[in-house]
Amino acid sequence: MTTILIVEDEPAIVELLRATLEAERYTIRETGSAETAWRMIEEAQPDLLLLDWMLPGQSGLALAKRLRQQTRTKTLPIIMVTARAEEADKVAGLETWVDDYITKPFSPRELKARVKAVLRRLTPESSDAPLQAGLLVLDPVSHRVHCDGKAMLLGPLEFRLLHFFMARPDRVFTRAQLLDTVWGDDAEIEERTVDVLVRRLRQVLATHHLDAMLETVRGSGYRWNPEATK
Ligand code: CA
């Protein structure tokens, strides 16, 4: 499941963005204010932010700068939505703060292409490189996990969950997000099942004294913290 947060105050543009991206099976969340977006991102981080520049209150650019200064959000993919007339002269400096930008008016085809390109470039799991957290190493190609050279035995669901977490350290995911990630969008499974899977993964991690890395975030969900030690 790929979640895109749309931050845009013009209803017609929101509608266009939403319809285009939902047709591509992305999960959409939306808000018209940068302040609300900040809170939503703190709660559960999306995979991509589509951010309008001109917003009431704090501007989209100010939000982008703020996100880039935080450890947890500094690599969050951002596509800025700009209006040609207002901002054409300032667009040149944008690359410092956002991954790409799209100028209104844009076609659904252009939007889809930009979103796909940014996600492909920046989504950690699209890489074949081994992921590491302390002594723990996960090889996405061979599906093997080692700790300090010792093999870790994981079932396919545990592996998928661990891969997802290790590719996205320091981010909080809700049970619903993890459910979609591990079992797929259409699965009819209770959120409690996520807790059961997390418990199983923790048991395996505990045999290598690594279970503290998989943190419970009260009221929200779970987070992978590679810095955690016991
Ligand atoms: Ca606007």
Side-chain angles (χ1 to χ4, degrees):
M1 180 196 68
T2 303
T3 306
I4 298 178
L5 175 59
I6 297 171
V7 190
E8 165 68 73
D9 60 314
E10 285 168 66
I13 305 279
V14 174
E15 219 23 69
L16 174 64
L17 292 170
R18 174 184 272 283
T20 305
L21 296 171
E22 276 183 346
E24 299 293 295
R25 318 260 300 148
Y26 297 115
T27 302
I28 303 302
R29 300 165 75 213
E30 63 185 58
T31 172
S33 111
E35 289 82 359
T36 306
W38 176 262
R39 282 200 299 277
M40 290 169 83
I41 293 164
E42 269 190 324
E43 226 165 76
Q45 198 163 311
D47 295 287
L48 177 94
L49 195 59
L50 262 177
L51 182 58
D52 183 27
W53 189 328
M54 300 300 267
L55 294 165
Q58 191 181 54
S59 75
L61 186 59
L63 176 63
K65 288 181 180 177
R66 209 171 150 204
L67 289 167
R68 286 292 180 255
Q69 283 156 12
Q70 303 278 320
T71 315
R72 281 175 206 285
T73 52
K74 72 176 173 215
T75 58
L76 172 65
I78 302 175
I79 298 178
M80 183 74 85
V81 182
T82 71
R84 198 185 300 273
E86 295 163 335
E87 296 125 0
D89 55 325
K90 301 179 208 150
V91 154
L94 261 185
E95 280 89 353
T96 317
W97 304 106
V98 300
D99 299 288
D100 199 0
Y101 61 87
I102 186 165
T103 308
K104 295 179 212 175
F106 49 83
S107 69
R109 187 205 295 231
E110 186 186 1
L111 173 69
K112 279 187 266 187
R114 300 260 174 163
V115 165
K116 256 190 208 130
V118 168
L119 284 173
R120 203 170 32 232
R121 193 147 46 90
L122 299 169
T123 299
E125 270 162 320
S126 62
S127 158
D128 282 345
L131 297 165
Q132 199 158 359
L135 294 169
L136 183 65
V137 180
L138 179 146
D139 182 349
V141 179
S142 66
H143 278 221
R144 291 210 172 95
V145 183
H146 290 270
C147 175
D148 200 12
K150 287 193 254 340
M152 194 178 274
L153 295 173
L154 293 171
L157 290 177
E158 287 95 332
F159 178 86
R160 215 179 299 169
L161 184 66
L162 181 63
H163 188 194
F164 179 82
F165 272 125
M166 287 183 76
R168 298 169 179 78
D170 297 321
R171 287 174 50 178
V172 180
F173 294 98
T174 63
R175 287 170 177 79
Q177 285 178 311
L178 296 171
L179 201 60
D180 289 348
T181 297
V182 177
W183 283 274
D185 283 341
D186 305 322
E188 296 277 328
I189 294 169
E190 289 176 51
E191 293 194 2
R192 210 166 45 83
T193 312
V194 174
D195 299 327
V196 175
L197 183 62
V198 164
R199 206 176 313 140
R200 289 210 318 253
L201 177 56
R202 271 200 188 124
Q203 276 165 4
V204 181
L205 290 168
T207 62
H208 301 264
H209 310 288
L210 298 169
D211 48 310
M213 290 182 181
L214 184 41
E215 296 178 337
T216 302
V217 182
R218 200 133 55 105
S220 299
Y222 296 101
R223 171 173 57 211
W224 181 253
N225 178 359
E227 309 290 317
T229 47
K230 289 215 272 193

